[in-house]
Amino acid sequence: MSKILIVVDMQNDFIDGALGTKEAVAIVPYVKDVIESFDGKVYFTRDTHFENYMETQEGANLPVPHCIKGTKGWEIADGLYIEGAKIIDKPNFGWPHWDEERLESVELIGLCTDICVVSNALIIKATFPDAQVKVDSACCAGVTPETHFAACKTMQMCQIMQK
């Protein structure tokens, strides 16, 4: 069985940039430790927007330009990427093409628990109902601590294990 670690949107804009939080900054060392000690394939997702972000539906509802392709905010935080890891640029909260991968044992970590982590976890669990899917909540941060905990509870209710 192949083990996959999905590092969700550990990008500068979500850590200490346009949408950064102290909770996101706080998890970076833990995320780094998990990535470096993981025995399996590592995938990184990047929230990827373009110059017309403010004209999109998401931009109308979250009017903070962030993760614009090619900017420092779009980049994965320094020191996290490991050689050979796959990067997936996704244009919205969840990557709808996980079905192109063979996922049997998946662990998710990253940002934001209450938006992109929960979206990807639910897509994966719905696509691969027999897969072991878990989220390391200590290596995740939400928009707020309250919404982080709510997302963790939602994932738990959908049989996504908490680590």
Side-chain angles (χ1 to χ4, degrees):
M1 178 183 334
S2 64
K3 290 173 48 180
I4 308 273
L5 175 67
I6 300 173
V7 183
V8 180
D9 299 357
M10 287 299 296
Q11 296 164 268
N12 294 316
D13 269 349
F14 290 128
I15 297 170
D16 57 8
L19 294 171
T21 66
K22 66 180 186 218
E23 292 84 9
V25 171
I27 69 165
V28 172
Y30 304 111
V31 168
K32 183 175 176 57
D33 288 347
V34 169
I35 293 168
E36 290 176 350
S37 65
F38 190 76
D39 182 27
K41 295 179 184 177
V42 178
Y43 291 58
F44 285 83
T45 67
R46 276 191 302 215
D47 195 41
T48 302
H49 301 295
F50 300 94
E51 293 298 327
N52 70 337
Y53 174 75
M54 296 301 286
E55 300 165 19
T56 67
Q57 180 182 2
E58 182 182 325
N61 290 297
L62 179 62
V64 179
H66 65 281
C67 299
I68 306 298
K69 188 173 183 172
T71 65
K72 179 75 173 161
W74 173 71
E75 294 173 5
I76 295 168
D78 289 341
L80 294 183
Y81 180 78
I82 59 169
E83 192 64 37
K86 182 175 181 175
I87 296 177
I88 295 171
D89 291 334
K90 56 181 187 55
N92 53 36
F93 307 136
W95 179 244
H97 304 292
W98 288 117
D99 61 341
E100 296 172 2
E101 306 296 329
R102 187 167 180 259
L103 305 179
E104 297 170 353
S105 174
V106 180
E107 182 174 339
L108 294 99
I109 60 176
L111 303 168
C112 294
T113 319
D114 42 357
I115 302 173
C116 295
V117 174
V118 69
S119 294
N120 283 289
L122 291 171
I123 289 169
I124 291 166
K125 192 63 179 172
T127 305
F128 302 99
D130 293 326
Q132 181 184 45
V133 181
K134 62 184 164 185
V135 172
D136 186 342
S137 59
C139 287
C140 295
V143 174
T144 69
E146 295 80 17
T147 57
H148 164 80
F149 291 118
C152 289
K153 188 67 174 170
T154 296
M155 289 184 281
Q156 182 181 25
M157 296 300 294
C158 292
Q159 301 179 4
I160 295 166
M161 299 184 316
Q162 305 292 301
K163 186 172 177 185

